[in-house]
Amino acid sequence: MRILGIDPGIATVGFGVIDADRGRQKYVTCGIISTPAHTALSSRLDQIYSDLEELIGAFHPDAIAIEELFFNTNITTGIAVAHGRGVILLAAYRSGIPVFEYTPLQVKQAVVGYGRAEKKQVIDMVRRLLNMPAAPKPDDAADAVALAICHARSATSLLTKNGGNNVCSTI
């Protein structure tokens, strides 16, 4: 199964692609979609949508794992990220690819084994789990790879194998 992990944003969208088979994950690629500052929101959203369509066409994922929104203190930033996340969900829907959403706590639990792990620990475990010589860069891309690993581990759980619904998905 090929999984595209997405760390949503508006200025920077992280993406990571892995292949998962029989409990093993293999790194394919990662990177970011970046939009220029001081550009109209509609233009940025269009670029994210177009670039994501291109990624989907190039890598043909079987599933997309995306981070659920978590509003901290800056709700204005959260709203902008929600716009970006919306076009990501639209691109996935129009491509016919199932989307699975995970909270940061679920990702940390799946990758590190501890839901309150620090970002540095998650990035180091991504490197170790995928046997990479160096951690993926930038952090947004590493977060996206962690999301893909989270889905790989969730999708191969006994619950899923026994025909149960994926409890992590909200779609």
Side-chain angles (χ1 to χ4, degrees):
M1 167 184 1
R2 179 155 284 181
I3 304 164
L4 171 60
I6 301 286
D7 182 30
I10 196 70
T12 305
V13 176
F15 69 87
V17 181
I18 66 168
D19 288 331
D21 184 39
R22 300 179 193 191
R24 290 193 170 99
Q25 296 92 41
K26 181 182 173 200
Y27 172 77
V28 176
T29 192
C30 72
I32 59 167
I33 297 169
S34 60
T35 62
H38 310 297
T39 304
L41 177 62
S42 56
S43 176
R44 292 175 119 178
L45 295 174
D46 181 59
Q47 182 178 347
I48 292 168
Y49 184 86
S50 297
D51 288 357
L52 191 60
E53 275 190 319
E54 190 176 319
L55 274 173
I56 289 169
F59 293 102
H60 307 287
D62 300 301
I64 292 178
I66 188 168
E67 187 172 82
E68 284 187 9
L69 280 185
F70 174 74
F71 289 96
N72 199 354
T73 53
N74 190 344
I75 195 150
T76 304
T77 301
I79 291 171
V81 171
H83 289 306
R85 193 172 178 281
V87 299
I88 292 165
L89 294 174
L90 178 62
Y93 175 79
R94 288 196 172 165
S95 297
I97 302 167
V99 176
F100 300 86
E101 302 178 60
Y102 298 93
T103 66
L105 189 119
Q106 288 171 313
V107 174
K108 292 173 182 180
Q109 180 69 39
V111 175
V112 179
Y114 176 58
R116 303 278 184 221
E118 295 178 20
K119 182 181 275 292
K120 186 173 134 181
Q121 292 172 298
V122 175
I123 292 171
D124 186 55
M125 281 304 295
V126 165
R127 182 191 64 77
R128 290 172 185 239
L129 290 169
L130 298 176
N131 200 25
M132 301 172 76
K137 297 265 184 207
D139 286 355
D140 298 298
D143 290 346
V145 175
L147 278 151
I149 292 170
C150 177
H151 181 67
R153 291 181 162 196
S154 173
T156 58
S157 74
L158 287 175
L159 179 64
T160 302
K161 287 181 183 175
N162 292 333
N165 292 328
N166 184 331
V167 295
C168 296
S169 175
T170 57
I171 293 181

